[in-house]
Amino acid sequence: MAKMSSPTETERCIESLIAVFQKYAGKDGNKTNLSKTEFLSFMNTELAAFTKSQKDAGVLDRMMKRLDVNSDGQLDFQEFLNLIGGLAVACHESLTSSRKFI
Amino acid sequence: MAKMSSPTETERCIESLIAVFQKYAGKDGNKTNLSKTEFLSFMNTELAAFTKSQKDAGVLDRMMKRLDVNSDGQLDFQEFLNLIGGLAVACHESLTSSRKFI
């Protein structure tokens, strides 16, 4: 985005989400999709705190399957955003529900 | 999110999206939704470059209507994320399609 002023927080987020997707999608083969290996690499690096907190070893497999809406064994950018959105909603709900008890 | 290590870029983005939603949703009335006024305030501040580039004055009205899936006249966090996702996908597609010609 070519602009004179510095980006707002929301613009920075949009740029970051694109950059992080391209970083992991570019690790092998098709650069416009996350393969299962690239998805695992993303989850174990960018969302390591979440991933390590999961006691069930099959959770990433199930997440990949649920996110892969068109069942092509890969995640495109829209499918990747559904993951980010799902985590953000869970985070937001946990914050707003805990506030009710304060 | 209480953690010892500094957040990753993806975690920072998730936190930022929640914070920016809460900032604008908290401006008046119901703090868990963006009213039309709050949505316009968000668009004119956080996404001013996009908003100013729209030649059609009715575009924000139509965006609000399309995003408001449950037609309650407000945007909840999930509906807000659909806006961010839609913009990110449009941005990503514009970047990847322009690269084909370089």
Side-chain angles (χ1 to χ4, degrees):
Chain A
M1 281 191 251
K3 278 186 295 138
M4 297 302 283
S5 55
S6 62
T8 64
E9 188 60 18
T10 306
E11 289 169 337
R12 235 192 52 74
C13 266
I14 292 175
E15 289 170 354
S16 284
L17 290 173
I18 294 173
V20 84
F21 176 78
Q22 291 186 330
K23 177 180 167 187
Y24 286 88
K27 284 188 186 286
D28 64 43
N30 187 336
K31 291 184 195 317
T32 59
N33 289 283
L34 286 180
S35 64
K36 179 77 178 279
T37 312
E38 288 166 339
F39 166 72
L40 294 177
S41 169
F42 168 79
M43 293 300 293
N44 286 315
T45 314
E46 287 287 324
L47 297 172
F50 167 82
T51 304
K52 282 180 193 157
S53 72
Q54 302 302 310
K55 294 190 180 90
D56 176 356
V59 74
L60 292 188
D61 288 339
R62 289 199 302 278
M63 280 178 79
M64 174 86 190
K65 270 190 194 142
R66 208 177 50 222
L67 291 164
D68 181 18
V69 180
N70 65 353
S71 302
D72 66 351
Q74 302 183 93
L75 301 183
D76 62 23
F77 187 58
Q78 178 64 68
E79 290 166 341
F80 167 77
L81 286 178
N82 292 342
L83 161 66
I84 304 296
L87 288 170
V89 167
C91 237
H92 182 246
E93 280 172 0
S94 130
L95 282 172
T96 47
S97 65
S98 62
R99 274 193 192 141
K100 285 178 194 158
F101 301 101
I102 294 172
Chain B
M1 282 189 252
K3 279 186 294 143
M4 295 303 283
S5 55
S6 61
T8 65
E9 189 60 19
T10 306
E11 289 169 337
R12 234 191 53 73
C13 266
I14 292 175
E15 289 170 353
S16 284
L17 290 173
I18 295 172
V20 85
F21 175 79
Q22 292 186 330
K23 177 181 168 186
Y24 287 88
K27 283 186 186 287
D28 64 42
N30 187 335
K31 290 181 195 317
T32 58
N33 289 284
L34 285 179
S35 65
K36 179 77 178 280
T37 311
E38 288 167 338
F39 166 72
L40 294 176
S41 169
F42 168 79
M43 292 302 293
N44 287 315
T45 313
E46 287 287 325
L47 296 172
F50 167 83
T51 304
K52 282 180 193 156
S53 72
Q54 303 302 312
K55 294 189 180 90
D56 176 357
V59 75
L60 292 189
D61 287 339
R62 289 199 302 278
M63 280 177 78
M64 174 85 189
K65 269 190 195 143
R66 210 178 48 224
L67 289 164
D68 181 16
V69 180
N70 65 353
S71 302
D72 65 352
Q74 302 184 92
L75 301 183
D76 63 23
F77 187 59
Q78 178 64 66
E79 291 166 340
F80 167 77
L81 286 178
N82 292 342
L83 160 67
I84 304 297
L87 289 169
V89 167
C91 235
H92 183 244
E93 280 171 0
S94 129
L95 282 172
T96 47
S97 65
S98 61
R99 275 194 191 141
K100 286 178 191 155
F101 302 102
I102 295 171

